[in-house]
Amino acid sequence: MTPTGALLTAGALRKTYGATLALDGADFGIHPGEVVAVMGPSGSGKSTLLHCLAGIVRPDSGEVRYRGRELSAMSDAERSALRRSDFGFVFQFGQLVPELTCVENVALPLRLSGVKRREAEARSTEWLDRLEVSDVAGKRPGEVSGGQGQRVAVARSLVTGPRVLFADEPTGALDSLNGERVMQLLTEAARDSRTAVVLVTHEPRVAAYSDREVVVRDGVARDMAGVA
Amino acid sequence: MSIGHTLLGLLESGPRHGYDLKRAFDERFGHDKPLHYGQVYSTMSRLLKNGLVEVDGIEPGGGPERKRYAITDAGVTDVETWLAQPEKPEPYLQSTLYTKVVLSLLTGRNAADLLDGQRAEHLRLMRELTRRKAGGDLADQLICDHALFHLEADLRWLEMTAARLDRLASEVRS
Ligand SMILES: Nc1ncnc2c1ncn2[C@@H]1O[C@H](COP(=O)(O)OP(=O)(O)O)[C@@H](O)[C@H]1O
Ligand SMILES: [Mg+2]
């Protein structure tokens, strides 16, 4: 793919954990509004790639550019500010704060960026509604089903209007029907707001919600856009 | 799919004309492949001959599509037997893809590329079905899901094969 107009690009990423080579020269690029599936077997380096792209893990070498700026050239404070303002995250498990209600969980990223409580919760309520879980707003995460909890997590990841959503196996803990509904709601919402989605999954039916796929094998990412 | 049994089943709720049967079939089951009129007539004449349907009336104007068919008691029994009979599971032992993988390994070609190309092709179809599902009713969703689960099974096999290519290569070449 051409980096022209790309929102987020990575080139020649390498990352080792001790003796393990997790990334061995991975390239990546994503445009605004695009949903890209990152596929590949377990242990191939998908999550490490996502963490590097999101500035959570620093690669040993190679570069990640977001809107032209190199992440590794930023200070830690700049990087975490960027993560809060421009990125959203949704993972497979355990992301909701158990002591807070669902609506408070969704409102949390807004509160952290200084939005007043009343407005933060009003916006969060709209997102819960959009994810079809307005009925669990006042419940705590321990009192809702896995599928409901994951929808709350998706609402929380999108409430700040991120430009990039990082989703690592977002449906991994859900049954097929719930997983597909979450994918449909997630991709619809992302496409409406031109949010780019980096979707790590090893499930083909989940990847089918993407626009194109990148396959990671042994720490090397291959863009499949031109294949076949 | 057995067109004869399906048409018979559609007749169980009441007599229909040939053109009406075709329309009912296409609406419910003909998503990608509507019936030809010819198939309807040849099927109905076979069912007539076997006593599973009878002609219940003919509209003026002639032509086989003007005939109105009704199911007979023997026809109802036939549908019932067919519905109660489990479908034979497909053994899927004649995979062209498997043959291609072995042949590329035998001839020293790149089998991993072949699998990558196949994955891309499968995912293309899966995306199309996923979009169709999003815009469709429950019947569309069920039909597309059936196809999607089969395509997913192919891809699982493909990933397992990709992970074992080196071993397969040394076996086919030995
Ligand atoms: N924090 C870590 N410490 C040590 N090894 C790690 C760590 N994170 C990942 N790895 C190793 O790096 C490789 C790639 O892991 P990962 O990116 O999680 O793969 P995937 O998400 O595709 O399953 C694996 O061998 C894994 O064990
Ligand atoms: Mg992972």
Side-chain angles (χ1 to χ4, degrees), chain A residues 39 180 184 204-205 207-213 215 217 222 224 227-228, chain B residues 113 116-117 119-120 123-124 126-127 130 133-134 148-149 152 155 159 162:
Chain A
M39 305 181 73
E180 296 233 6
Q184 202 183 331
R205 272 178 312 109
Y209 285 86
S210 68
D211 300 310
R212 66 185 165 88
E213 75 276 11
V215 176
R217 186 163 297 127
R222 183 156 176 220
M224 293 294 154
V227 169
Chain B
D113 282 354
D116 280 344
R119 184 196 304 98
L123 278 173
R124 213 183 328 273
M126 289 181 77
R127 287 193 179 98
T130 300
K133 201 166 71 161
L148 281 163
F149 279 112
E152 180 181 46
L155 283 183
E159 303 300 355

Side-chain angles (χ1 to χ4, degrees), chain A residues 179-221:
Chain A
E180 296 233 6
R181 190 70 192 143
V182 164
M183 278 318 298
Q184 202 183 331
L185 295 168
L186 185 157
T187 48
E188 262 173 30
R191 289 199 170 100
D192 283 353
S193 54
R194 303 262 303 148
T195 301
V197 182
V198 180
L199 169 68
V200 168
T201 182
H202 66 275
E203 290 180 79
R205 272 178 312 109
V206 172
Y209 285 86
S210 68
D211 300 310
R212 66 185 165 88
E213 75 276 11
V214 163
V215 176
V216 184
R217 186 163 297 127
D218 301 327
V220 180

Side-chain angles (χ1 to χ4, degrees), chain A:
Chain A
M1 71 166 280
T2 55
T4 325
L7 183 62
L8 178 68
T9 57
L13 294 180
R14 275 177 64 88
K15 174 71 194 170
T16 52
Y17 290 106
T20 307
L21 188 53
L23 289 180
D24 186 15
D27 302 315
F28 186 84
I30 190 167
H31 289 79
E34 220 185 0
V35 180
V36 177
V38 177
M39 305 181 73
S42 173
S44 58
K46 304 182 296 293
S47 294
T48 306
L49 174 62
L50 180 139
H51 292 147
C52 289
L53 292 170
I56 296 170
V57 161
R58 197 188 192 105
D60 301 338
S61 61
E63 60 162 33
V64 178
R65 281 182 181 277
Y66 174 67
R67 303 178 82 196
R69 290 186 69 196
E70 214 199 302
L71 292 195
S72 60
M74 296 182 189
S75 69
D76 285 351
E78 278 180 307
R79 248 196 321 272
S80 36
L82 175 72
R83 276 203 299 272
R84 265 209 307 279
S85 61
D86 285 37
F87 295 171
F89 295 90
V90 50
F91 300 108
Q92 183 174 355
F93 295 115
Q95 344 165 30
L96 300 175
V97 182
E99 293 80 11
L100 299 180
T101 63
C102 288
V103 71
E104 287 166 346
N105 263 285
V106 177
L108 193 59
L110 292 172
R111 300 284 289 134
L112 289 174
S113 2
V115 179
K116 293 267 184 301
R117 181 187 196 94
R118 188 193 290 266
E119 164 162 14
E121 295 200 353
R123 274 160 69 182
S124 302
T125 304
E126 281 169 32
W127 274 100
L128 285 175
D129 193 33
R130 183 149 190 190
L131 272 295
E132 303 174 335
V133 279
S134 24
D135 48 325
V136 304
K139 294 190 175 174
R140 291 183 208 291
E143 302 165 333
V144 308
S145 73
Q148 288 168 330
Q150 202 59 354
R151 288 169 198 225
V152 173
V154 170
R156 188 179 64 177
S157 72
L158 290 168
V159 73
T160 54
R163 287 176 194 262
V164 188
L165 175 66
F166 294 95
D168 196 346
E169 307 277 5
T171 62
L174 305 181
D175 62 70
S176 302
L177 213 51
N178 258 300
E180 296 233 6
R181 190 70 192 143
V182 164
M183 278 318 298
Q184 202 183 331
L185 295 168
L186 185 157
T187 48
E188 262 173 30
R191 289 199 170 100
D192 283 353
S193 54
R194 303 262 303 148
T195 301
V197 182
V198 180
L199 169 68
V200 168
T201 182
H202 66 275
E203 290 180 79
R205 272 178 312 109
V206 172
Y209 285 86
S210 68
D211 300 310
R212 66 185 165 88
E213 75 276 11
V214 163
V215 176
V216 184
R217 186 163 297 127
D218 301 327
V220 180
R222 183 156 176 220
D223 192 325
M224 293 294 154
V227 169

